[in-house]
């Protein structure tokens, strides 16, 4: 088999890249370890920056996000028992975010890929990458007991944090930066109306809570829990009880509870691997970086990586220019580190840290108080939340 770009991983990074390349007439094959149904069963965040919406549009898959997504102009910060609104729309000169689940983005991309008749190999095992330091890279995998090989011009490693792509790079050529937080998020998805029109980020003495949503009838809620906590320790009733305790009285009153459709615990981590290009192998999305979910930057960073990568590959094929390819890593990392900083800062501001005690809580409350009263501080939050621009210069 031969293709121009072999894409490892059918998460949002791999599928969006495949679609952007296809739109530009660049042939690609996606190789995914899991089944399509498994990929769609993963529940992830659901806040899309305008930049992500623009890329979905460029890929021709934004119709449903526009029709069913919920444009949000603000968020609420809850601390010391009271909610305060940050008007992102006003503070950023008219920007907004779109609340639309990552699962739905993935479904739209899968449907578009199938409709265009593009090839995706699901349930591929023993995926391995070869010769990406030369001019003729290859990807090998086993499907139904048969070994296959793809010859290609480039490999895009879009296979997430646990993927094979980053692991295929010689250890001496890559530097990894990591911070692990001493807590996780217990998430619940339920078919109940959201407690509020906008997202509520809550700092409480019992720990962080987040009220989010997928639609007017489906809610997504999270609670900060200790790292060692297990989902088996929780029941729906315990979850709703603890969430109610972390809300203000008016929200508590409005909270509608119901059976969970999904309940899981995700650890919180900041991680960056540098660089993101090794000869003809490019890393994109979670394969290269992880942010803690506070601020929902994960999917948006994956999208901007893929925006840069598709641009670079289009430049290579159309203009025979290596400029985009050569600058790929530096352009991505400049945006990634800013999102890493923002996600780390927002996480640090909103969570209970076991080691900082009451002093830490007081400092957080002082910063939150400053944040809601200072236009400079709230503008900084707003411009990061709606997404910093993609810069195409070097
Ligand atoms: N071979 C082939 N595919 C693989 C391999 C492998 N060895 N290892 C992992 N994969 C697949 C996974 O099964 C998964 O479907 O790669 C895909 C990676 O998808 P994601 O983990 O969703 O990563 P990405 O597409 O970069 O999306 C980033 O997803 O994890 C969230 O917060 C993150 O929202 C962000 C977004
Ligand atoms: C979500 O809806 O899952 C979500 C929203 C905002 C976040 C994180 C997760 O900051």
């Amino acid at each position: 088999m031969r293709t121009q770009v072999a894409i490892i991983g059918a998460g949002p990074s791999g599928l969006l890249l495949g679609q952007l390349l296809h739109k530009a007439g660049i042939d690609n094959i996606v190789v995914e370890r899991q089944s399509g149904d498994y990929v769609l069963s993963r529940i992830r965040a659901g806040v899309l920056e305008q930049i992500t919406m623009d890329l979905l549009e460029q890929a021709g898959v934004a119709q449903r996000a526009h029709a069913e997504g919920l444009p949000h102009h603000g968020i609420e910060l809850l601390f010391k028992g009271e909610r305060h609104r940050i008007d992102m729309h006003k503070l950023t000169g008219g920007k907004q975010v779109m609340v639309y689940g990552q699962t739905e983005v993935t479904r739209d991309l899968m449907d578009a890929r199938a409709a265009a008749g593009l090839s995706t190999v699901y349930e591929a095992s023993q995926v391995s990458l070869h010769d990406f330091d030369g001019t003729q890279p290859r990807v090998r995998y086993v499907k139904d007991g048969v070994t296959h090989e793809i010859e290609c011009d480039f490999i895009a490693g879009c296979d997430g944090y646990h993927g094979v792509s980053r692991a295929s790079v010689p250890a001496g050529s890559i530097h990894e930066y990591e911070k692990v937080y001493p807590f996780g998020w217990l998430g619940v998805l339920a078919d109940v109306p959201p407690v509020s029109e906008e997202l509520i980020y809550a700092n409480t003495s019992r720990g962080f809570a987040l009220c989010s949503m997928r639609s007017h009838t489906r809610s997504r809620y999270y609670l900060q829990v200790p790292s060692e906590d297990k989902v088996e320790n929780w029941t729906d009733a315990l979850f709703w009880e603890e969430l109610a305790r972390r809300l203000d009285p008016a929200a508590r009153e409005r909270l509608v509870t119901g059976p969970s459709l999904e309940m899981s615990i995700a650890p919180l981590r900041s991680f960056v691997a540098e660089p993101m290009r090794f000869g003809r192998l490019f890393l994109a999305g979670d394969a290269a970086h992880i942010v803690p979910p506070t601020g929902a930057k994960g999917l948006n960073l994956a999208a901007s990586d893929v925006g840069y990568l598709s641009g670079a590959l289009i430049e290579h094929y159309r203009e025979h220019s290596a400029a985009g390819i050569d600058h790929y890593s530096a352009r991505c990392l400049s945006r990634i580190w800013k999102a890493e900083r923002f996600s780390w800062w927002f996480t640090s501001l909103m969570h209970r840290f076991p080691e900082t005690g009451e002093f830490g809580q007081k400092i957080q409350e002082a910063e939150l108080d400053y944040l809601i009263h200072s236009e400079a501080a709230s503008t900084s939050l707003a411009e990061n939340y709606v997404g910093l621009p993609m810069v195409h210069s070097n």
Side-chain angles (χ1 to χ4, degrees):
M1 251 183 297
R2 203 198 128 77
T3 191
Q4 289 174 296
V5 182
I7 300 174
I8 320 294
S13 305
L15 292 172
L16 179 58
L17 178 64
Q19 214 56 32
L20 289 168
L21 293 178
H22 166 68
K23 285 273 167 193
I26 300 170
D27 185 44
N28 61 84
I29 298 177
V30 174
V31 180
E32 163 63 48
R33 182 167 60 178
Q34 305 286 357
S35 68
D37 284 345
Y38 182 92
V39 171
L40 285 176
S41 70
R42 294 187 293 228
I43 313 281
R44 300 266 170 80
V47 178
L48 309 184
E49 297 171 357
Q50 187 57 48
I51 285 179
T52 305
M53 286 298 292
D54 292 346
L55 286 163
L56 293 177
E57 220 149 88
Q58 197 184 319
V61 293
Q63 301 89 327
R64 205 161 64 93
H66 275 303
E68 296 176 19
L70 307 173
H72 278 210
H73 287 182
I75 55 171
E76 291 189 291
L77 298 177
L78 165 55
F79 62 99
K80 292 209 275 189
E82 279 177 34
R83 267 184 280 161
H84 306 268
R85 182 167 191 265
I86 301 287
D87 189 337
M88 295 178 310
H89 195 254
K90 195 170 113 213
L91 291 164
T92 60
K95 295 202 177 124
Q96 61 177 36
V97 292
M98 189 68 98
V99 172
Y100 186 69
Q102 177 172 323
T103 313
E104 301 313 310
V105 173
T106 310
R107 195 189 309 277
D108 295 343
L109 285 162
M110 279 183 177
D111 290 352
R113 192 164 177 88
L118 303 176
S119 91
T120 312
V121 183
Y122 284 102
E123 298 179 270
S125 62
Q126 298 173 50
V127 177
S128 58
L129 285 55
H130 306 272
D131 301 335
F132 50 81
D133 47 353
T135 53
Q136 289 170 305
R138 288 168 300 121
V139 171
R140 222 175 277 151
Y141 63 91
V142 174
K143 168 88 183 169
D144 299 329
V146 182
T147 302
H148 300 263
E149 188 170 280
I150 306 173
E151 289 175 13
C152 55
D153 300 332
F154 298 100
I155 303 175
C158 300
D159 47 352
Y161 182 68
H162 299 286
V164 64
S165 301
R166 194 179 70 253
S168 304
V169 174
S173 321
I174 191 162
H175 193 97
E176 298 182 349
Y177 302 83
E178 184 174 46
K179 177 177 172 60
V180 177
Y181 300 84
F183 40 74
W185 278 18
L186 170 66
V188 153
L189 187 70
D191 274 334
V192 292
V195 68
S196 177
E197 292 277 294
E198 295 183 329
L199 272 58
I200 304 174
Y201 289 86
N203 172 310
T204 84
S205 59
R206 302 185 64 89
F208 171 76
L210 170 60
C211 305
S212 182
M213 66 195 73
R214 292 291 173 272
S215 68
H216 293 303
T217 55
R218 181 169 285 190
S219 300
R220 180 69 168 159
Y221 293 111
Y222 298 95
L223 294 175
Q224 174 186 354
V225 293
S227 299
E228 57 286 356
D229 207 349
K230 296 263 175 301
V231 78
E232 297 76 50
N233 297 339
W234 290 85
T235 59
D236 287 358
L238 284 171
F239 182 90
W240 294 119
E241 209 175 289
E242 183 58 27
L243 177 62
R245 283 203 193 108
R246 297 187 193 187
L247 297 179
D248 58 290
R252 199 175 302 137
E253 189 105 319
R254 280 193 50 151
L255 181 66
V256 183
T257 66
S260 62
L261 303 170
E262 194 257 7
M263 187 189 276
S264 56
I265 295 183
L268 266 69
R269 174 195 309 275
S270 298
F271 171 85
V272 181
E274 290 190 358
M276 289 168 61
R277 175 203 170 193
F278 307 88
R280 287 178 169 247
L281 166 65
F282 302 90
L283 302 181
D286 276 19
H289 44 78
I290 299 286
V291 285
T294 331
K297 290 294 167 217
L299 173 59
N300 294 297
L301 278 186
S304 55
D305 287 356
V306 157
Y308 285 126
L309 183 53
S310 59
L313 293 171
I314 292 167
E315 226 171 283
H316 166 86
Y317 285 110
R318 285 204 188 139
E319 297 162 28
H320 307 287
S321 157
I325 286 175
D326 289 342
H327 293 119
Y328 170 71
S329 185
R331 280 178 187 161
C332 287
L333 286 163
S334 157
R335 190 165 197 275
I336 288 160
W337 275 113
K338 291 184 189 87
E340 289 284 347
R341 185 211 65 81
F342 172 68
S343 308
W344 159 82
W345 167 79
F346 203 18
T347 300
S348 308
L349 179 65
M350 299 308 293
H351 291 74
R352 201 75 175 127
F353 284 76
E355 70 277 13
T356 59
E358 285 181 333
F359 179 80
Q361 177 79 14
K362 283 287 189 189
I363 293 290
Q364 286 178 338
E365 287 170 2
E367 184 166 357
L368 282 159
D369 199 24
Y370 166 63
L371 191 59
I372 57 161
H373 289 110
S374 155
E375 189 163 328
S378 45
T379 303
S380 167
L381 165 62
E383 72 177 351
N384 279 279
Y385 196 92
V386 300
L388 296 176
M390 276 179 78
V391 178
H392 289 274
S393 59
N394 305 320

